[in-house]
Amino acid sequence: MANHTFPALILIAAFAVLSFMASAQAPSSDLLATWLAGHFYAEGALDQIYPADSGLYTMLPPSGWVEFMTAQGYSHDVFPFIYPPLWAWVAQFFTDILPFHSLARVASLINPALIGGMVFMAWRTTRSTLPSVVFVSVGIVAIAATNIGQVALRDNQPQILVSFLTVWALSRLYNEQPRSGGAVMALAAALKLTPAFYALLWVTRRKTRALIGFTITGAALAGLSVLVAGWPLHATFLHQIGAISDTVFLSKLNFSIDPVIAQLCCTDAFLFIDPALSNTALVETQAGGWYIMAKPPLWSALSGLALVMVLAGCTWLAAKSQDDPLIWPVLMITVSLISPLSWVYHYLAPAAFAPVLLDRFGQKAGTLTLLAVFAPLSLPIMAQIDAISPSPLLVQGTSLACLTLLATAFVVAILRKQAKIS
């Protein structure tokens, strides 16, 4: 293992340093949300942790955030904090001793290392016959050459950590450490709730030891969060999650089926959100903002049914394939596709598994598959697609097609391997 590990670690370190050097002017807007939540938590301004209730998810920050950052000379995007209150409580201990620009620089070195580490963990999870340095090289290129990685790195998005923890949890599971794997997955779910849905596959597959680790750790983190932050702040957080579920959010970086459907049938219902003015106005087109619409109850119900069907389908596939590890990127992609808000970086973890297709399909077929998936998502080609039309539909349609192809390729790889075993 050491012979395989060392070259990959050198590659990951080199990628982290190069990414750090290239990110000197990165705005780190997503990381800023956590820093600001910690700042206002330390100030005792708990009404400034989450946005005011507007019924729908507008992606506008609390009222005082823009004014505060403008006074600091910050001129980039300011996004809201939508993580559990525990992390606002944790962040408060860093805001006085670590100015935001210093935190951003530290994160700009750690985050690319986490991306490289995530790909390495995917190599361990799949037990690929590819040399680790080849697997990691392909994975880093697939992620860093597309918006999947670039947006996450530019904004120092906490989803990088969530994705790393998720793949690490699977690596522990498939390397005979199910309890610790469950515990790591619970930590990922404590940062963002989606990994808790992934853990339902352990329920349907009766993976008791992983569930024990997940349940104990998850309960401890949830209890700690309520203990230190109080229930009212949690109620506000859960209300925000509900607002996201009830909203169709239209942005070129939201790679979900919901906004595509809405553009095909419901454009008159969209409400324009102007982040510069922090208000709303019904308009046809305007740059620098985004659109939202209320999701009808039937639509929400069908979305919930789709999640149940995805879990059932992946459970069946897992049973048929003796829990092939590629079940997990299939689950991640399909859950993201049918979720209301799936930013491009939500596909980091499944992209980390993509190099295994070179192993499962062979070099030629695997290379062609990877090119078919990631070439259209590459930054130059995506820029050309974006230039064709101001509407997000073409960018989103292309992205959804590529991600659907990736999920399909994983399913084919699972079934082909099982056919060979049988």
Side-chain angles (χ1 to χ4, degrees):
M1 176 63 72
N3 291 336
H4 286 289
T5 301
F6 185 71
L9 293 180
I10 294 297
L11 175 63
I12 292 168
F15 171 62
V17 171
L18 290 174
S19 180
F20 174 79
M21 294 171 62
S23 64
Q25 304 302 319
S28 300
S29 300
D30 288 321
L31 181 64
L32 175 64
T34 301
W35 189 91
L36 282 171
H39 168 79
F40 283 102
Y41 193 102
E43 294 288 318
L46 299 187
D47 62 325
Q48 290 292 305
I49 306 300
Y50 296 106
D53 180 19
S54 63
L56 297 176
Y57 180 65
T58 64
M59 209 172 76
L60 295 176
S63 57
W65 283 23
V66 174
E67 181 180 354
F68 175 79
M69 290 308 299
T70 300
Q72 309 300 313
Y74 183 86
S75 59
H76 300 289
D77 293 322
V78 180
F79 297 134
F81 176 77
I82 55 171
Y83 303 96
L86 174 63
W87 307 111
W89 177 81
V90 170
Q92 70 171 319
F93 299 109
F94 297 94
T95 53
D96 286 339
I97 62 174
L98 196 61
F100 174 66
H101 63 85
S102 299
L103 176 63
R105 293 302 285 161
V106 172
S108 294
L109 182 62
I110 292 175
N111 278 331
L114 289 177
I115 287 177
M118 174 177 59
V119 180
F120 179 77
M121 290 297 174
W123 173 75
R124 293 192 73 234
T125 302
T126 59
R127 299 180 181 178
S128 171
T129 59
L130 293 173
S132 64
V133 69
V134 174
F135 193 106
V136 172
S137 297
V138 173
I140 286 177
V141 170
I143 291 171
T146 66
N147 271 334
I148 294 174
Q150 283 298 308
V151 174
L153 290 170
R154 180 193 68 195
D155 289 332
N156 273 314
Q157 168 51 237
Q159 180 67 36
I160 295 174
L161 176 59
V162 175
S163 299
F164 173 81
L165 290 172
T166 300
V167 180
W168 185 21
L170 298 177
S171 176
R172 303 298 292 168
L173 177 69
Y174 282 91
N175 286 279
E176 307 303 327
Q177 297 291 334
R179 285 193 179 90
S180 62
V184 174
M185 188 71 84
L187 179 56
L191 286 160
K192 270 197 174 173
L193 299 182
T194 306
F197 184 86
Y198 302 156
L200 290 177
L201 189 59
W202 290 335
V203 176
T204 60
R205 293 292 297 139
R206 300 190 178 117
K207 300 295 182 181
T208 306
R209 289 185 294 171
L211 277 174
I212 289 173
F214 180 87
T215 303
I216 292 175
T217 306
L221 288 169
L224 176 63
S225 188
V226 174
L227 178 66
V228 299
W231 177 250
L233 207 55
H234 286 79
T236 303
F237 164 68
L238 293 174
H239 185 77
Q240 286 290 315
I241 299 302
I244 291 174
S245 298
D246 293 335
T247 305
V248 176
F249 193 97
L250 178 57
S251 164
K252 291 180 180 179
L253 296 178
N254 179 16
F255 291 175
S256 166
I257 293 174
D258 278 359
V260 172
I261 295 173
Q263 288 174 87
L264 295 175
C265 70
C266 312
T267 54
D268 292 341
F270 276 117
L271 182 70
F272 181 75
I273 303 298
D274 186 342
L277 301 177
S278 293
N279 62 14
T280 60
L282 282 171
V283 297
E284 293 183 2
T285 58
Q286 186 173 338
W290 46 83
Y291 293 86
I292 64 172
M293 65 168 278
K295 185 185 290 187
L298 178 59
W299 192 336
S300 294
L302 290 174
S303 295
L305 178 61
L307 283 172
V308 173
M309 293 174 64
V310 163
L311 180 61
C314 287
T315 299
W316 173 82
L317 195 57
K320 183 177 179 63
S321 65
Q322 302 176 7
D323 294 305
D324 190 309
L326 295 191
I327 291 294
W328 294 92
V330 173
L331 179 62
M332 294 171 195
I333 293 173
T334 49
V335 166
S336 293
L337 289 176
I338 61 178
S339 295
L341 187 59
S342 295
W343 297 113
V344 56
Y345 41 74
H346 287 184
Y347 297 93
L348 276 167
F353 284 88
V356 79
L357 297 177
L358 294 171
D359 193 352
R360 296 288 186 96
F361 290 167
Q363 184 173 354
K364 183 177 180 180
T367 299
L368 290 174
T369 302
L370 292 179
L371 287 174
V373 171
F374 291 103
L377 295 175
S378 66
L379 297 178
I381 295 180
M382 192 53 67
Q384 293 298 315
I385 295 173
D386 189 22
I388 294 174
S389 170
S391 168
L393 188 58
L394 190 57
V395 167
Q396 289 176 324
T398 302
S399 302
L400 292 183
C402 291
L403 293 165
T404 301
L405 175 60
L406 180 59
T408 303
F410 285 137
V411 171
V412 171
I414 292 169
L415 295 177
R416 285 184 58 177
K417 182 178 181 180
Q418 187 58 31
K420 289 179 181 179
I421 294 174
S422 301

